[in-house]
């Protein structure tokens, strides 16, 4: 298990004030918490959603960060801290818990390639980590309000990172796009509603022939930490 520095606290989100701040009821006190996701989190209206929060540096404007939410009948925690996903992947690499790299020897993070930055370089192979949150693959309880979404999901950053990752293939002959879900999600095959979806799928299909692999990592999120559930290759689903 990837353990947090201290156990998380459970609270209730009262509202998402803006892109960066959520008001959360902790015990009997309303506190402003950092929201680690600047974009959409599913199509949820954050009113009465259970959450887990971590404690930040008290000198920050927001003393807490919302780490996870729960919206389904199974009360599964869904991790929403995308930066936490990279730390968790680093832990999995260090403990040989990722079959995509079963016995990694040399791991480097935040590698600058061209004008972009890729998340990992593992034994000479580049890996980009994505933690999709614009769509949540659980069935929310009826009491959680959902907002009608008409605008497409923005994907410019994904395309830039994907093109950079693919550009490493002539030299390395292998590259990995790892989708991380900080909960137990079904097999992810992309999102047809996203902007430029056809272009993204074509980029991936062309690159698979040159050595691009697509993998998925599912987890269980708890107040103590994150447990890897399964990691499996999904390349065939993108061909």
């Amino acid at each position: 298990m990837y353990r947090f520095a201290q156990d998380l606290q459970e609270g209730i989100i009262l509202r998402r004030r803006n892109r960066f701040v959520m008001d959360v009821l902790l015990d009997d006190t309303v506190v402003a918490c950092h929201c680690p996701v600047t974009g959409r989190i599913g199509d949820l209206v954050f009113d009465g959603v259970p959450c887990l929060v971590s404690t930040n540096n008290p000198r920050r404007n927001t003393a807490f960060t919302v780490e996870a939410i729960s919206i389904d009948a199974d009360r599964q925690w869904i991790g929403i801290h995308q930066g936490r996903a990279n730390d968790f992947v680093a832990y999995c690499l260090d403990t040989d818990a990722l079959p995509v790299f079963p016995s990694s020897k040399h791991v480097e993070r935040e590698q600058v390639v061209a004008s972009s930055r890729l998340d990992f370089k593992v034994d000479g192979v580049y890996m980009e980590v994505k933690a999709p949150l614009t769509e949540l693959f659980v069935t929310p309880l009826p009491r959680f309000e959902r907002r009608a979404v008409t605008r497409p999901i923005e994907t410019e950053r994904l395309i830039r990172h994907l093109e950079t990752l693919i550009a490493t293939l002539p030299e390395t002959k292998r590259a990995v796009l790892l989708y991380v879900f900080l909960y137990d999600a079904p097999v992810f095959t992309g999102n047809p509603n996203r902007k430029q979806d056809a272009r993204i799928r074509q980029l991936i299909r062309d690159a698979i022939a040159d050595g691009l692999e697509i993998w998925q990592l599912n987890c269980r999120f708890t107040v103590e930490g994150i447990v890897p559930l399964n990691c499996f290759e999904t390349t065939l689903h993108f061909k």
Side-chain angles (χ1 to χ4, degrees):
M1 174 189 284
Y2 166 85
R3 292 190 176 276
F4 303 130
Q6 55 185 286
D7 288 358
L8 306 181
Q9 299 180 59
E10 187 168 343
I12 300 291
I13 300 173
L14 301 181
R15 64 167 179 154
R16 185 175 185 176
R17 192 189 304 178
N18 53 46
R19 294 170 61 199
F20 306 101
V21 179
M22 290 177 165
D23 291 327
V24 175
L25 181 65
L26 286 180
D27 296 324
D28 296 321
T29 305
V30 178
V31 297
C33 297
H34 173 62
C35 177
V37 185
T38 57
R40 278 176 32 215
I41 304 173
D43 52 2
L44 289 173
V45 175
F46 286 94
D47 180 3
V49 174
C51 68
L52 295 176
V53 302
S54 60
T55 304
N56 297 328
N57 187 323
R59 290 176 292 183
R60 280 182 43 169
N61 292 333
T62 49
F64 301 92
T65 292
V66 177
E67 296 277 351
I69 60 174
S70 180
I71 57 174
D72 64 349
D74 296 330
R75 214 172 185 281
Q76 176 183 201
W77 291 113
I78 299 172
I80 65 168
H81 196 318
Q82 292 167 313
R84 182 80 71 180
N86 279 25
D87 291 340
F88 176 63
V89 169
Y91 162 82
C92 290
L93 288 168
D94 188 54
T95 56
D96 294 334
L98 287 185
V100 58
F101 293 108
S103 56
S104 56
K105 301 292 192 300
H106 186 62
V107 178
E108 301 172 88
R109 296 184 63 173
E110 297 293 320
Q111 295 296 293
V112 176
V113 180
S115 59
S116 294
R117 191 182 300 269
L118 297 177
D119 292 314
F120 290 91
K121 188 178 184 182
V122 184
D123 296 334
V125 175
Y126 290 95
M127 177 169 68
E128 179 68 8
V129 174
K130 295 299 178 187
L133 286 169
T134 51
E135 183 179 6
L136 299 179
F137 299 97
V138 298
T139 302
L141 292 168
R143 65 188 177 91
F144 295 121
E145 185 181 351
R146 304 172 75 177
R147 180 181 293 107
V149 176
T150 56
R151 65 182 178 84
I153 298 170
E154 295 301 325
T155 52
E156 285 79 3
R157 188 168 183 269
L158 170 61
I159 290 174
R160 184 173 72 252
H161 287 169
L162 183 57
E163 288 177 334
T164 302
L165 184 66
I166 291 169
T168 68
L169 284 170
E171 176 186 355
T172 63
K173 309 304 180 186
R174 186 190 184 205
V176 175
L177 177 61
L178 176 65
Y179 285 107
V180 176
F181 293 87
L182 298 180
Y183 62 102
D184 195 10
V187 175
F188 179 71
T189 59
N191 191 325
N193 295 319
R194 64 190 169 187
K195 188 177 180 180
Q196 301 189 65
D197 180 70
R199 179 183 173 192
I200 292 170
R201 291 180 185 278
Q202 191 62 54
L203 279 171
I204 290 175
R205 279 196 296 267
D206 292 345
I208 286 173
D210 296 324
L212 178 67
E213 299 173 13
I214 319 297
W215 287 71
Q216 179 171 331
L217 172 62
N218 286 357
C219 318
R220 183 172 74 251
F221 201 101
T222 74
V223 296
E224 297 91 5
I226 310 172
V227 180
L229 290 178
N230 46 48
C231 181
F232 48 93
E233 187 173 3
T234 59
T235 306
L236 290 178
H237 292 276
F238 288 84
K239 282 190 173 182

